[in-house]
Structures are given as structure tokens and as C-alpha cells.
Amino acid sequence: MKDTARLAAYFAATILIGALIAPPLFWFGQWVSANGWLPFLAKFDFETFFHRSLIIAAVALFWPFLYFSNVRNLADLSLAPNQRWIRDLATGFLVATIPLLCCGALLVALHVSQMRHVFQWPAFGRTVLASITVPFIEEALFRGLILGLLLRSGRTYLSILATSALFAVVHFLKAPAGTSIIVTWTSGFNSIAHSFAQFADPMFVLAAFTTLFLIGWILADARVRTRSLWLPIGLHSGWIFANGAFNAMARREVLALPWLGKNLLVGIVPLGVGALTWLLIIFLYERTREN
């Protein structure tokens, strides 16, 4: 119960700090862009900066939270040193990437997607950067810290369920475009107030939320099976890379919710691809979970 209360306090503090620093982060980005140093920042709206501010706040509070949660070593989070980390990292990346790219190739063959005339190198570069950085941050937070603390209750499946639901909710929350056209010191709190707008579309909820939940479950299951974060980091990186690389090569011609969304990670069809990846992980890692 104490761990749950600490987690709630951690997320509340993250949201509060994120909302407070988002406006100055946005203004700084606009100032940098206006001076010609990083001109690409001008195309990002406030919501993008708000999400980045939440990540900054979560990372800044990470180590203090570990200290107050009495976490002194890996064992306190049900983790163990992994001497086969390279194998697990590579396996996760390949098992996530190959099925998703095969799904993309099938969509092109069925004329659901069409190959672009020009490869989108800038977008691909951002994908590579995201596939390297994002998995380390999110896996350390969700599968490392949050799942690790919940596992101290001794309820493995309930802990995986709660972590997966939280993972889906956090990624699903996003204020509509144009929520904060004029950015003020309270714009971050305005974004929070409108973050549940997407839940008004049941078809999008079915297509996106369920896929995110399954991805979160697979990542948590991989972590529990190996008692390590390297396999889920590889999986997470592979999904980001495959989705971004395919978007740089092709564009969606047909949007058929809930079956297919705007990218390879949204829809019931991607949900089936994710289930295939999970079966491969179960086959490759036949280890008994903690009870």
C-alpha cells in the first residue's frame, strides 16, 4: 500500500512539474528557432513540448523516488544482472521489427499503403534517435520502477495488469491540436484538463488503447521472464524503429478503424502482429515466472 501511495505521489509531482515547466520550455524552443539555431522546433506545437516536459520531470524525480522507496539495488525491484544482455537486446529488436515490417509489406501489396516517391530521411533520422533513447527512459520507468515496486506485493499478474493499463493511459492521453494556441503560464494545466478528449471516440479507443495495452503487457511479461530490462528495451526499440522506418518509406492510403490506424501500431491488425511477437517471446524464453 505504501508503494502504491508513493507511485501516486510520484505521478502527481511529475504532472505538476511538467505542467509548470512546459510553457518556458515552449518559449525557449520558439526563441531558439527564431534565432536560426534549431529552425525545425518552430513546427512543433505546445502539446509536443508539454509531453517532453513530462519526460523531463519524470527523469528528474526518478532517483529521489528510488531513494524514498527504499530501493538500494536491483533485487529490490525484482531485477537481476543479465550476462546475456546483448542477446536479449538483439532478440527483442528482431522479434519486434520483423513481424511489423512484414505487416507493412503486406499492406503495400494490398494497396492499403503506398510507397513514397522520396524516402523521408529527416523522419527516419528522428526515428533512429527515438528508438535509441525512448526505450531506455520508458522501460526504466514503467517496467523497471513501477512494475518493480508493484511486484513487491507478490501479485505478479495484477502488477503486470496495472502497469500495462498505466502505460496505455499515459501514451493515450493527448490534448487536441490547438488546445493552447496562445501559450500562457497555465497552458500546461489546460492540456491536462483536455487530455481525455480522445476517449470520446470509442472506435479510436478500441484501435489504439487496446494495442498500447497489449504492447505494455508484452513488455512487462518479457521483463518478468528474464528479470531484466534488456529484452523489453529491445522489443520497444524494434517497434519504434519498424513503425518509423515504414512511415518514412510508405504512406497510408486507407484508414479503416478499428482494423487499421494511421500507423503500424494502431488497430486490430497490429494487435494481431503484437500477439504473434508475444508467442515468439514465449517460445524463445520458456522460463517460469515469479509467483
Side-chain angles (χ1 to χ4, degrees), residues 122-200:
F124 181 71
R126 291 192 293 270
T127 293
V128 172
L129 181 61
S131 65
I132 295 173
T133 58
V134 172
F136 282 94
I137 296 173
E138 294 194 352
E139 292 313 304
L141 175 61
F142 287 99
R143 261 62 62 177
L145 179 61
I146 297 174
L147 181 56
L149 290 177
L150 293 177
L151 285 172
R152 298 205 291 200
S153 67
R155 300 176 180 178
T156 301
Y157 287 102
L158 185 60
S159 299
I160 292 177
L161 175 67
T163 305
S164 304
L166 182 62
F167 177 77
V169 168
V170 168
H171 284 77
F172 197 72
L173 296 181
K174 185 178 181 181
T179 298
S180 299
I181 298 177
I182 300 176
V183 178
T184 66
W185 282 103
T186 60
S187 292
F189 297 98
N190 188 43
S191 294
I192 295 172
H194 291 83
S195 291
F196 292 90
Q198 293 187 94
F199 283 95

Side-chain angles (χ1 to χ4, degrees), residues 262-281:
K262 61 182 179 179
N263 58 54
L264 290 181
L265 295 177
V266 176
I268 295 177
V269 172
L271 190 71
V273 177
L276 174 61
T277 296
W278 191 14
L279 291 175
L280 290 173
I281 290 298

Side-chain angles (χ1 to χ4, degrees), residues 187-243:
S187 292
F189 297 98
N190 188 43
S191 294
I192 295 172
H194 291 83
S195 291
F196 292 90
Q198 293 187 94
F199 283 95
D201 185 348
M203 196 65 69
F204 188 75
V205 171
L206 177 62
F209 186 84
T210 52
T211 306
L212 285 168
F213 179 83
L214 177 64
I215 287 175
W217 187 287
I218 295 170
L219 293 171
D221 181 65
R223 183 260 208 228
V224 170
R225 287 179 182 276
T226 59
R227 296 196 66 196
S228 170
L229 294 179
W230 290 109
L231 180 58
I233 286 174
L235 288 166
H236 201 150
S237 177
W239 279 318
I240 293 176
F241 179 81
N243 180 58

Side-chain angles (χ1 to χ4, degrees), residues 33-92:
S33 175
N35 282 274
W37 293 327
L38 297 172
F40 67 89
L41 291 176
K43 68 179 182 179
F44 294 120
D45 61 2
F46 175 75
E47 297 308 318
T48 301
F49 283 90
F50 175 64
H51 277 260
R52 299 300 180 270
S53 70
L54 291 176
I55 294 175
I56 293 172
V59 172
L61 295 173
F62 188 82
W63 293 110
F65 180 69
L66 286 179
Y67 177 80
F68 287 110
S69 298
N70 298 315
V71 176
R72 300 295 181 265
N73 51 54
L74 292 176
D76 291 335
L77 293 174
S78 300
L79 292 169
N82 187 352
Q83 297 180 349
R84 299 180 177 180
W85 67 273
I86 296 179
R87 182 203 66 175
D88 288 350
L89 183 67
T91 299

